PDB file of all heavy atoms in Angstrom:
ATOM      1  N   VAL A  44      11.438   9.717   8.016  1.00 91.00           N
ATOM      2  CA  VAL A  44      12.245  10.859   8.360  1.00 91.00           C
ATOM      3  C   VAL A  44      13.264  10.567   9.408  1.00 91.00           C
ATOM      4  O   VAL A  44      13.084   9.769  10.293  1.00 91.00           O
ATOM      5  CB  VAL A  44      11.429  12.095   8.871  1.00 91.00           C
ATOM      6  CG1 VAL A  44      10.644  11.771  10.219  1.00 91.00           C
ATOM      7  CG2 VAL A  44      12.112  13.342   9.002  1.00 91.00           C
ATOM      8  N   MET A  45      14.521  11.104   9.113  1.00 86.00           N
ATOM      9  CA  MET A  45      15.725  10.810  10.175  1.00 86.00           C
ATOM     10  C   MET A  45      16.210  12.145  10.478  1.00 86.00           C
ATOM     11  O   MET A  45      16.924  12.854   9.827  1.00 86.00           O
ATOM     12  CB  MET A  45      16.783  10.070   9.515  1.00 86.00           C
ATOM     13  CG  MET A  45      17.847   9.611  10.406  1.00 86.00           C
ATOM     14  SD  MET A  45      19.071   8.597   9.552  1.00 86.00           S
ATOM     15  CE  MET A  45      20.178   8.288  10.917  1.00 86.00           C
ATOM     16  N   LEU A  46      15.921  12.534  11.818  1.00 81.00           N
ATOM     17  CA  LEU A  46      16.298  13.955  12.224  1.00 81.00           C
ATOM     18  C   LEU A  46      17.234  13.741  13.491  1.00 81.00           C
ATOM     19  O   LEU A  46      16.979  12.885  14.413  1.00 81.00           O
ATOM     20  CB  LEU A  46      15.071  14.590  12.748  1.00 81.00           C
ATOM     21  CG  LEU A  46      14.035  14.973  11.638  1.00 81.00           C
ATOM     22  CD1 LEU A  46      12.886  15.782  12.326  1.00 81.00           C
ATOM     23  CD2 LEU A  46      14.645  15.849  10.465  1.00 81.00           C
ATOM     24  N   ARG A  47      18.307  14.446  13.430  1.00 82.00           N
ATOM     25  CA  ARG A  47      19.186  14.383  14.658  1.00 82.00           C
ATOM     26  C   ARG A  47      18.555  15.179  15.822  1.00 82.00           C
ATOM     27  O   ARG A  47      18.305  16.348  15.589  1.00 82.00           O
ATOM     28  CB  ARG A  47      20.607  15.079  14.275  1.00 82.00           C
ATOM     29  CG  ARG A  47      21.555  15.010  15.442  1.00 82.00           C
ATOM     30  CD  ARG A  47      22.937  15.270  15.005  1.00 82.00           C
ATOM     31  NE  ARG A  47      23.824  15.512  16.193  1.00 82.00           N
ATOM     32  CZ  ARG A  47      24.346  14.485  16.865  1.00 82.00           C
ATOM     33  NH1 ARG A  47      24.212  13.256  16.249  1.00 82.00           N
ATOM     34  NH2 ARG A  47      25.093  14.618  17.866  1.00 82.00           N
ATOM     35  N   MET A  48      18.244  14.570  16.893  1.00 83.00           N
ATOM     36  CA  MET A  48      17.649  15.259  17.946  1.00 83.00           C
ATOM     37  C   MET A  48      18.176  14.563  19.334  1.00 83.00           C
ATOM     38  O   MET A  48      17.861  13.717  19.877  1.00 83.00           O
ATOM     39  CB  MET A  48      16.159  14.865  17.897  1.00 83.00           C
ATOM     40  CG  MET A  48      15.397  15.542  16.825  1.00 83.00           C
ATOM     41  SD  MET A  48      13.559  15.269  16.944  1.00 83.00           S
ATOM     42  CE  MET A  48      13.435  13.638  16.351  1.00 83.00           C
ATOM     43  N   PRO A  49      19.356  15.345  19.699  1.00 85.00           N
ATOM     44  CA  PRO A  49      19.957  14.773  20.980  1.00 85.00           C
ATOM     45  C   PRO A  49      19.009  15.013  22.142  1.00 85.00           C
ATOM     46  O   PRO A  49      18.148  15.818  22.248  1.00 85.00           O
ATOM     47  CB  PRO A  49      21.192  15.798  21.100  1.00 85.00           C
ATOM     48  CG  PRO A  49      21.392  16.284  19.784  1.00 85.00           C
ATOM     49  CD  PRO A  49      20.068  16.420  19.101  1.00 85.00           C
ATOM     50  N   VAL A  50      19.207  13.989  23.118  1.00 90.00           N
ATOM     51  CA  VAL A  50      18.397  14.036  24.360  1.00 90.00           C
ATOM     52  C   VAL A  50      18.603  15.315  25.074  1.00 90.00           C
ATOM     53  O   VAL A  50      19.664  15.931  25.103  1.00 90.00           O
ATOM     54  CB  VAL A  50      18.806  12.866  25.220  1.00 90.00           C
ATOM     55  CG1 VAL A  50      18.144  13.031  26.664  1.00 90.00           C
ATOM     56  CG2 VAL A  50      18.504  11.552  24.685  1.00 90.00           C
ATOM     57  N   GLY A  51      17.464  15.951  25.425  1.00 86.00           N
ATOM     58  CA  GLY A  51      17.547  17.219  26.094  1.00 86.00           C
ATOM     59  C   GLY A  51      17.059  18.333  25.195  1.00 86.00           C
ATOM     60  O   GLY A  51      16.640  19.380  25.581  1.00 86.00           O
ATOM     61  N   GLU A  52      17.017  18.001  23.883  1.00 89.00           N
ATOM     62  CA  GLU A  52      16.597  18.935  22.837  1.00 89.00           C
ATOM     63  C   GLU A  52      15.246  18.510  22.195  1.00 89.00           C
ATOM     64  O   GLU A  52      14.626  19.320  21.370  1.00 89.00           O
ATOM     65  CB  GLU A  52      17.695  19.249  21.859  1.00 89.00           C
ATOM     66  CG  GLU A  52      18.966  19.771  22.495  1.00 89.00           C
ATOM     67  CD  GLU A  52      20.035  19.839  21.368  1.00 89.00           C
ATOM     68  OE1 GLU A  52      19.700  19.851  20.275  1.00 89.00           O
ATOM     69  OE2 GLU A  52      21.166  20.119  21.792  1.00 89.00           O
ATOM     70  N   VAL A  53      14.803  17.284  22.408  1.00 90.00           N
ATOM     71  CA  VAL A  53      13.544  16.783  21.657  1.00 90.00           C
ATOM     72  C   VAL A  53      12.418  17.550  22.116  1.00 90.00           C
ATOM     73  O   VAL A  53      12.134  17.535  23.323  1.00 90.00           O
ATOM     74  CB  VAL A  53      13.567  15.244  21.793  1.00 90.00           C
ATOM     75  CG1 VAL A  53      12.394  14.629  21.076  1.00 90.00           C
ATOM     76  CG2 VAL A  53      14.859  14.520  21.372  1.00 90.00           C
ATOM     77  N   THR A  54      11.458  17.946  21.166  1.00 93.00           N
ATOM     78  CA  THR A  54      10.269  18.428  21.652  1.00 93.00           C
ATOM     79  C   THR A  54       9.143  17.515  21.287  1.00 93.00           C
ATOM     80  O   THR A  54       9.326  16.475  20.470  1.00 93.00           O
ATOM     81  CB  THR A  54      10.045  19.759  20.746  1.00 93.00           C
ATOM     82  OG1 THR A  54       9.804  19.389  19.320  1.00 93.00           O
ATOM     83  CG2 THR A  54      11.086  20.676  20.915  1.00 93.00           C
ATOM     84  N   PRO A  55       8.064  17.569  21.872  1.00 93.00           N
ATOM     85  CA  PRO A  55       6.856  16.637  21.615  1.00 93.00           C
ATOM     86  C   PRO A  55       6.426  16.771  20.206  1.00 93.00           C
ATOM     87  O   PRO A  55       6.053  15.741  19.574  1.00 93.00           O
ATOM     88  CB  PRO A  55       5.797  17.193  22.508  1.00 93.00           C
ATOM     89  CG  PRO A  55       6.528  17.771  23.617  1.00 93.00           C
ATOM     90  CD  PRO A  55       7.685  18.520  23.063  1.00 93.00           C
ATOM     91  N   GLU A  56       6.518  17.870  19.597  1.00 94.00           N
ATOM     92  CA  GLU A  56       6.113  18.023  18.149  1.00 94.00           C
ATOM     93  C   GLU A  56       7.167  17.322  17.279  1.00 94.00           C
ATOM     94  O   GLU A  56       6.651  16.468  16.347  1.00 94.00           O
ATOM     95  CB  GLU A  56       6.122  19.545  17.745  1.00 94.00           C
ATOM     96  CG  GLU A  56       5.017  20.307  18.501  1.00 94.00           C
ATOM     97  CD  GLU A  56       5.353  20.704  19.856  1.00 94.00           C
ATOM     98  OE1 GLU A  56       6.517  20.520  20.339  1.00 94.00           O
ATOM     99  OE2 GLU A  56       4.365  21.015  20.603  1.00 94.00           O
ATOM    100  N   GLN A  57       8.514  17.300  17.523  1.00 93.00           N
ATOM    101  CA  GLN A  57       9.374  16.492  16.683  1.00 93.00           C
ATOM    102  C   GLN A  57       9.172  15.082  16.954  1.00 93.00           C
ATOM    103  O   GLN A  57       9.337  14.235  15.985  1.00 93.00           O
ATOM    104  CB  GLN A  57      10.790  16.895  17.153  1.00 93.00           C
ATOM    105  CG  GLN A  57      11.126  18.330  16.726  1.00 93.00           C
ATOM    106  CD  GLN A  57      12.623  18.698  17.286  1.00 93.00           C
ATOM    107  OE1 GLN A  57      12.895  18.318  18.431  1.00 93.00           O
ATOM    108  NE2 GLN A  57      13.343  19.422  16.524  1.00 93.00           N
ATOM    109  N   TRP A  58       8.940  14.688  18.192  1.00 93.00           N
ATOM    110  CA  TRP A  58       8.681  13.295  18.405  1.00 93.00           C
ATOM    111  C   TRP A  58       7.490  12.825  17.751  1.00 93.00           C
ATOM    112  O   TRP A  58       7.505  11.704  17.073  1.00 93.00           O
ATOM    113  CB  TRP A  58       8.393  13.087  19.900  1.00 93.00           C
ATOM    114  CG  TRP A  58       8.023  11.614  20.330  1.00 93.00           C
ATOM    115  CD1 TRP A  58       6.707  11.222  20.434  1.00 93.00           C
ATOM    116  CD2 TRP A  58       8.829  10.658  20.799  1.00 93.00           C
ATOM    117  NE1 TRP A  58       6.754   9.859  20.781  1.00 93.00           N
ATOM    118  CE2 TRP A  58       7.975   9.479  21.088  1.00 93.00           C
ATOM    119  CE3 TRP A  58      10.220  10.538  20.967  1.00 93.00           C
ATOM    120  CZ2 TRP A  58       8.569   8.353  21.531  1.00 93.00           C
ATOM    121  CZ3 TRP A  58      10.731   9.319  21.370  1.00 93.00           C
ATOM    122  CH2 TRP A  58       9.902   8.230  21.781  1.00 93.00           C
ATOM    123  N   ASP A  59       6.443  13.558  17.626  1.00 96.00           N
ATOM    124  CA  ASP A  59       5.156  13.147  16.885  1.00 96.00           C
ATOM    125  C   ASP A  59       5.392  12.985  15.423  1.00 96.00           C
ATOM    126  O   ASP A  59       4.959  12.017  14.789  1.00 96.00           O
ATOM    127  CB  ASP A  59       4.039  14.095  17.214  1.00 96.00           C
ATOM    128  CG  ASP A  59       3.467  14.012  18.566  1.00 96.00           C
ATOM    129  OD1 ASP A  59       3.824  12.886  19.165  1.00 96.00           O
ATOM    130  OD2 ASP A  59       2.762  14.804  19.026  1.00 96.00           O
ATOM    131  N   VAL A  60       6.234  13.874  14.835  1.00 95.00           N
ATOM    132  CA  VAL A  60       6.370  13.830  13.421  1.00 95.00           C
ATOM    133  C   VAL A  60       7.242  12.518  12.986  1.00 95.00           C
ATOM    134  O   VAL A  60       6.864  11.848  12.126  1.00 95.00           O
ATOM    135  CB  VAL A  60       7.386  15.071  12.991  1.00 95.00           C
ATOM    136  CG1 VAL A  60       7.903  14.860  11.577  1.00 95.00           C
ATOM    137  CG2 VAL A  60       6.512  16.318  12.954  1.00 95.00           C
ATOM    138  N   VAL A  61       8.098  12.179  13.694  1.00 95.00           N
ATOM    139  CA  VAL A  61       8.966  11.061  13.666  1.00 95.00           C
ATOM    140  C   VAL A  61       8.084   9.771  13.741  1.00 95.00           C
ATOM    141  O   VAL A  61       8.155   8.934  12.883  1.00 95.00           O
ATOM    142  CB  VAL A  61      10.125  10.933  14.471  1.00 95.00           C
ATOM    143  CG1 VAL A  61      10.822   9.589  14.496  1.00 95.00           C
ATOM    144  CG2 VAL A  61      11.065  12.006  14.216  1.00 95.00           C
ATOM    145  N   MET A  62       7.376   9.709  14.844  1.00 97.00           N
ATOM    146  CA  MET A  62       6.402   8.432  15.089  1.00 97.00           C
ATOM    147  C   MET A  62       5.428   8.378  14.119  1.00 97.00           C
ATOM    148  O   MET A  62       5.076   7.221  13.552  1.00 97.00           O
ATOM    149  CB  MET A  62       5.985   8.484  16.497  1.00 97.00           C
ATOM    150  CG  MET A  62       7.089   8.317  17.555  1.00 97.00           C
ATOM    151  SD  MET A  62       7.908   6.732  17.454  1.00 97.00           S
ATOM    152  CE  MET A  62       9.219   7.009  18.508  1.00 97.00           C
ATOM    153  N   ASP A  63       4.796   9.550  13.702  1.00 97.00           N
ATOM    154  CA  ASP A  63       3.746   9.430  12.763  1.00 97.00           C
ATOM    155  C   ASP A  63       4.074   8.957  11.375  1.00 97.00           C
ATOM    156  O   ASP A  63       3.365   8.034  10.842  1.00 97.00           O
ATOM    157  CB  ASP A  63       3.009  10.801  12.675  1.00 97.00           C
ATOM    158  CG  ASP A  63       2.361  11.300  13.917  1.00 97.00           C
ATOM    159  OD1 ASP A  63       2.265  10.485  14.863  1.00 97.00           O
ATOM    160  OD2 ASP A  63       2.031  12.534  13.965  1.00 97.00           O
ATOM    161  N   LEU A  64       5.191   9.346  11.007  1.00 98.00           N
ATOM    162  CA  LEU A  64       5.587   8.960   9.615  1.00 98.00           C
ATOM    163  C   LEU A  64       6.323   7.576   9.679  1.00 98.00           C
ATOM    164  O   LEU A  64       6.108   6.739   8.822  1.00 98.00           O
ATOM    165  CB  LEU A  64       6.596  10.004   9.029  1.00 98.00           C
ATOM    166  CG  LEU A  64       7.139   9.646   7.570  1.00 98.00           C
ATOM    167  CD1 LEU A  64       5.976   9.489   6.569  1.00 98.00           C
ATOM    168  CD2 LEU A  64       8.047  10.847   7.076  1.00 98.00           C
ATOM    169  N   ASN A  65       7.164   7.368  10.526  1.00 97.00           N
ATOM    170  CA  ASN A  65       8.100   6.243  10.525  1.00 97.00           C
ATOM    171  C   ASN A  65       7.356   4.963  11.102  1.00 97.00           C
ATOM    172  O   ASN A  65       7.753   3.718  10.726  1.00 97.00           O
ATOM    173  CB  ASN A  65       9.231   6.436  11.361  1.00 97.00           C
ATOM    174  CG  ASN A  65      10.339   7.400  10.750  1.00 97.00           C
ATOM    175  OD1 ASN A  65       9.897   8.150   9.829  1.00 97.00           O
ATOM    176  ND2 ASN A  65      11.429   7.503  11.347  1.00 97.00           N
ATOM    177  N   LEU A  66       6.430   5.042  11.904  1.00 98.00           N
ATOM    178  CA  LEU A  66       5.765   3.951  12.631  1.00 98.00           C
ATOM    179  C   LEU A  66       4.275   3.799  12.348  1.00 98.00           C
ATOM    180  O   LEU A  66       3.673   2.836  11.899  1.00 98.00           O
ATOM    181  CB  LEU A  66       6.055   3.871  14.125  1.00 98.00           C
ATOM    182  CG  LEU A  66       5.566   2.751  14.917  1.00 98.00           C
ATOM    183  CD1 LEU A  66       6.165   1.404  14.213  1.00 98.00           C
ATOM    184  CD2 LEU A  66       6.004   2.870  16.426  1.00 98.00           C
ATOM    185  N   ARG A  67       3.562   4.986  12.720  1.00 98.00           N
ATOM    186  CA  ARG A  67       2.035   4.886  12.574  1.00 98.00           C
ATOM    187  C   ARG A  67       1.670   4.719  11.101  1.00 98.00           C
ATOM    188  O   ARG A  67       0.834   3.835  10.890  1.00 98.00           O
ATOM    189  CB  ARG A  67       1.476   6.178  13.063  1.00 98.00           C
ATOM    190  CG  ARG A  67      -0.046   6.139  13.192  1.00 98.00           C
ATOM    191  CD  ARG A  67      -0.682   7.430  13.595  1.00 98.00           C
ATOM    192  NE  ARG A  67      -0.559   8.450  12.794  1.00 98.00           N
ATOM    193  CZ  ARG A  67      -0.836   9.763  12.975  1.00 98.00           C
ATOM    194  NH1 ARG A  67      -1.303  10.081  14.127  1.00 98.00           N
ATOM    195  NH2 ARG A  67      -0.698  10.672  12.075  1.00 98.00           N
ATOM    196  N   ALA A  68       2.303   5.421  10.142  1.00 98.00           N
ATOM    197  CA  ALA A  68       1.957   5.302   8.712  1.00 98.00           C
ATOM    198  C   ALA A  68       2.122   3.842   8.245  1.00 98.00           C
ATOM    199  O   ALA A  68       1.117   3.218   7.480  1.00 98.00           O
ATOM    200  CB  ALA A  68       2.570   6.378   7.849  1.00 98.00           C
ATOM    201  N   PRO A  69       3.212   3.288   8.561  1.00 98.00           N
ATOM    202  CA  PRO A  69       3.343   1.795   7.905  1.00 98.00           C
ATOM    203  C   PRO A  69       2.249   0.935   8.432  1.00 98.00           C
ATOM    204  O   PRO A  69       1.824   0.036   7.736  1.00 98.00           O
ATOM    205  CB  PRO A  69       4.722   1.440   8.354  1.00 98.00           C
ATOM    206  CG  PRO A  69       5.529   2.661   8.509  1.00 98.00           C
ATOM    207  CD  PRO A  69       4.501   3.906   8.990  1.00 98.00           C
ATOM    208  N   PHE A  70       1.887   1.185   9.725  1.00 98.00           N
ATOM    209  CA  PHE A  70       0.968   0.250  10.239  1.00 98.00           C
ATOM    210  C   PHE A  70      -0.420   0.443   9.534  1.00 98.00           C
ATOM    211  O   PHE A  70      -1.049  -0.508   9.126  1.00 98.00           O
ATOM    212  CB  PHE A  70       0.726   0.473  11.792  1.00 98.00           C
ATOM    213  CG  PHE A  70      -0.442  -0.362  12.273  1.00 98.00           C
ATOM    214  CD1 PHE A  70      -0.340  -1.729  12.539  1.00 98.00           C
ATOM    215  CD2 PHE A  70      -1.621   0.285  12.558  1.00 98.00           C
ATOM    216  CE1 PHE A  70      -1.360  -2.509  12.998  1.00 98.00           C
ATOM    217  CE2 PHE A  70      -2.750  -0.566  13.051  1.00 98.00           C
ATOM    218  CZ  PHE A  70      -2.538  -1.883  13.230  1.00 98.00           C
ATOM    219  N   PHE A  71      -0.830   1.645   9.487  1.00 98.00           N
ATOM    220  CA  PHE A  71      -2.176   1.920   8.844  1.00 98.00           C
ATOM    221  C   PHE A  71      -2.188   1.693   7.397  1.00 98.00           C
ATOM    222  O   PHE A  71      -3.187   1.218   6.861  1.00 98.00           O
ATOM    223  CB  PHE A  71      -2.732   3.249   9.301  1.00 98.00           C
ATOM    224  CG  PHE A  71      -3.223   3.241  10.697  1.00 98.00           C
ATOM    225  CD1 PHE A  71      -2.401   3.745  11.707  1.00 98.00           C
ATOM    226  CD2 PHE A  71      -4.459   2.776  11.039  1.00 98.00           C
ATOM    227  CE1 PHE A  71      -2.854   3.855  12.997  1.00 98.00           C
ATOM    228  CE2 PHE A  71      -4.758   2.689  12.344  1.00 98.00           C
ATOM    229  CZ  PHE A  71      -4.054   3.196  13.381  1.00 98.00           C
ATOM    230  N   ILE A  72      -1.135   1.910   6.622  1.00 98.00           N
ATOM    231  CA  ILE A  72      -1.030   1.532   5.292  1.00 98.00           C
ATOM    232  C   ILE A  72      -1.223  -0.059   5.218  1.00 98.00           C
ATOM    233  O   ILE A  72      -1.870  -0.513   4.373  1.00 98.00           O
ATOM    234  CB  ILE A  72       0.250   1.957   4.652  1.00 98.00           C
ATOM    235  CG1 ILE A  72       0.248   3.448   4.449  1.00 98.00           C
ATOM    236  CG2 ILE A  72       0.625   1.186   3.279  1.00 98.00           C
ATOM    237  CD1 ILE A  72       1.589   4.054   3.943  1.00 98.00           C
ATOM    238  N   SER A  73      -0.521  -0.778   6.004  1.00 98.00           N
ATOM    239  CA  SER A  73      -0.492  -2.179   5.974  1.00 98.00           C
ATOM    240  C   SER A  73      -1.865  -2.713   6.333  1.00 98.00           C
ATOM    241  O   SER A  73      -2.346  -3.615   5.737  1.00 98.00           O
ATOM    242  CB  SER A  73       0.553  -2.788   6.957  1.00 98.00           C
ATOM    243  OG  SER A  73       1.900  -2.401   6.558  1.00 98.00           O
ATOM    244  N   GLN A  74      -2.492  -2.074   7.308  1.00 98.00           N
ATOM    245  CA  GLN A  74      -3.879  -2.574   7.757  1.00 98.00           C
ATOM    246  C   GLN A  74      -4.832  -2.333   6.570  1.00 98.00           C
ATOM    247  O   GLN A  74      -5.644  -3.245   6.332  1.00 98.00           O
ATOM    248  CB  GLN A  74      -4.358  -1.751   8.971  1.00 98.00           C
ATOM    249  CG  GLN A  74      -5.674  -2.223   9.421  1.00 98.00           C
ATOM    250  CD  GLN A  74      -6.006  -1.460  10.761  1.00 98.00           C
ATOM    251  OE1 GLN A  74      -5.793  -2.156  11.840  1.00 98.00           O
ATOM    252  NE2 GLN A  74      -6.353  -0.223  10.692  1.00 98.00           N
ATOM    253  N   ALA A  75      -4.709  -1.227   5.993  1.00 98.00           N
ATOM    254  CA  ALA A  75      -5.665  -0.891   4.776  1.00 98.00           C
ATOM    255  C   ALA A  75      -5.377  -1.830   3.560  1.00 98.00           C
ATOM    256  O   ALA A  75      -6.331  -2.279   2.908  1.00 98.00           O
ATOM    257  CB  ALA A  75      -5.591   0.577   4.362  1.00 98.00           C
ATOM    258  N   ALA A  76      -3.991  -2.026   3.363  1.00 98.00           N
ATOM    259  CA  ALA A  76      -3.625  -2.835   2.204  1.00 98.00           C
ATOM    260  C   ALA A  76      -3.958  -4.234   2.387  1.00 98.00           C
ATOM    261  O   ALA A  76      -4.375  -5.051   1.397  1.00 98.00           O
ATOM    262  CB  ALA A  76      -2.098  -2.756   2.041  1.00 98.00           C
ATOM    263  N   ALA A  77      -3.966  -4.785   3.540  1.00 98.00           N
ATOM    264  CA  ALA A  77      -4.350  -6.266   3.832  1.00 98.00           C
ATOM    265  C   ALA A  77      -5.735  -6.650   3.309  1.00 98.00           C
ATOM    266  O   ALA A  77      -6.166  -7.744   3.000  1.00 98.00           O
ATOM    267  CB  ALA A  77      -4.264  -6.614   5.382  1.00 98.00           C
ATOM    268  N   ARG A  78      -6.645  -5.538   3.225  1.00 97.00           N
ATOM    269  CA  ARG A  78      -7.966  -5.910   2.651  1.00 97.00           C
ATOM    270  C   ARG A  78      -8.022  -5.997   1.189  1.00 97.00           C
ATOM    271  O   ARG A  78      -8.911  -6.596   0.655  1.00 97.00           O
ATOM    272  CB  ARG A  78      -8.873  -4.662   3.089  1.00 97.00           C
ATOM    273  CG  ARG A  78      -9.098  -4.472   4.536  1.00 97.00           C
ATOM    274  CD  ARG A  78     -10.345  -3.541   4.814  1.00 97.00           C
ATOM    275  NE  ARG A  78      -9.983  -2.146   4.422  1.00 97.00           N
ATOM    276  CZ  ARG A  78      -9.462  -1.214   5.233  1.00 97.00           C
ATOM    277  NH1 ARG A  78      -9.327  -1.543   6.518  1.00 97.00           N
ATOM    278  NH2 ARG A  78      -9.302   0.077   4.747  1.00 97.00           N
ATOM    279  N   HIS A  79      -6.976  -5.672   0.533  1.00 98.00           N
ATOM    280  CA  HIS A  79      -7.006  -5.695  -0.910  1.00 98.00           C
ATOM    281  C   HIS A  79      -5.724  -6.773  -1.362  1.00 98.00           C
ATOM    282  O   HIS A  79      -5.961  -7.174  -2.643  1.00 98.00           O
ATOM    283  CB  HIS A  79      -6.666  -4.359  -1.541  1.00 98.00           C
ATOM    284  CG  HIS A  79      -7.642  -3.324  -1.122  1.00 98.00           C
ATOM    285  ND1 HIS A  79      -8.924  -3.171  -1.730  1.00 98.00           N
ATOM    286  CD2 HIS A  79      -7.650  -2.274  -0.184  1.00 98.00           C
ATOM    287  CE1 HIS A  79      -9.599  -2.283  -1.228  1.00 98.00           C
ATOM    288  NE2 HIS A  79      -8.834  -1.733  -0.227  1.00 98.00           N
ATOM    289  N   LEU A  80      -4.787  -7.041  -0.675  1.00 98.00           N
ATOM    290  CA  LEU A  80      -3.843  -7.819  -1.147  1.00 98.00           C
ATOM    291  C   LEU A  80      -4.259  -9.195  -1.431  1.00 98.00           C
ATOM    292  O   LEU A  80      -5.065  -9.669  -0.724  1.00 98.00           O
ATOM    293  CB  LEU A  80      -2.551  -7.877  -0.123  1.00 98.00           C
ATOM    294  CG  LEU A  80      -1.722  -6.667   0.039  1.00 98.00           C
ATOM    295  CD1 LEU A  80      -0.967  -6.745   1.277  1.00 98.00           C
ATOM    296  CD2 LEU A  80      -0.960  -6.311  -1.190  1.00 98.00           C
ATOM    297  N   PRO A  81      -3.814  -9.947  -2.435  1.00 97.00           N
ATOM    298  CA  PRO A  81      -4.272 -11.250  -2.654  1.00 97.00           C
ATOM    299  C   PRO A  81      -3.491 -12.184  -1.998  1.00 97.00           C
ATOM    300  O   PRO A  81      -2.531 -11.946  -1.326  1.00 97.00           O
ATOM    301  CB  PRO A  81      -3.949 -11.399  -4.282  1.00 97.00           C
ATOM    302  CG  PRO A  81      -2.712 -10.525  -4.472  1.00 97.00           C
ATOM    303  CD  PRO A  81      -2.960  -9.417  -3.420  1.00 97.00           C
ATOM    304  N   ASP A  82      -3.874 -13.450  -2.061  1.00 97.00           N
ATOM    305  CA  ASP A  82      -3.077 -14.556  -1.489  1.00 97.00           C
ATOM    306  C   ASP A  82      -1.676 -14.509  -2.089  1.00 97.00           C
ATOM    307  O   ASP A  82      -1.683 -14.445  -3.354  1.00 97.00           O
ATOM    308  CB  ASP A  82      -3.747 -15.951  -1.836  1.00 97.00           C
ATOM    309  CG  ASP A  82      -5.011 -16.137  -1.027  1.00 97.00           C
ATOM    310  OD1 ASP A  82      -5.430 -15.341  -0.213  1.00 97.00           O
ATOM    311  OD2 ASP A  82      -5.734 -17.157  -1.124  1.00 97.00           O
ATOM    312  N   GLY A  83      -0.607 -14.455  -1.189  1.00 96.00           N
ATOM    313  CA  GLY A  83       0.646 -14.248  -1.809  1.00 96.00           C
ATOM    314  C   GLY A  83       1.069 -12.884  -1.877  1.00 96.00           C
ATOM    315  O   GLY A  83       2.155 -12.613  -2.458  1.00 96.00           O
ATOM    316  N   GLY A  84       0.314 -11.973  -1.386  1.00 98.00           N
ATOM    317  CA  GLY A  84       0.660 -10.651  -1.337  1.00 98.00           C
ATOM    318  C   GLY A  84       1.848 -10.270  -0.349  1.00 98.00           C
ATOM    319  O   GLY A  84       2.050 -11.182   0.437  1.00 98.00           O
TER     320      GLY A  84
END
């Protein structure tokens, strides 16, 4: 998600949405996928 949020207007809820989707999700998808990916994945 890419949301325009100028400094001074950012809420904790908006921050969490961005971080949860853009950063946390790729990490935990990758962590889970690593258990299944073959050599060369």
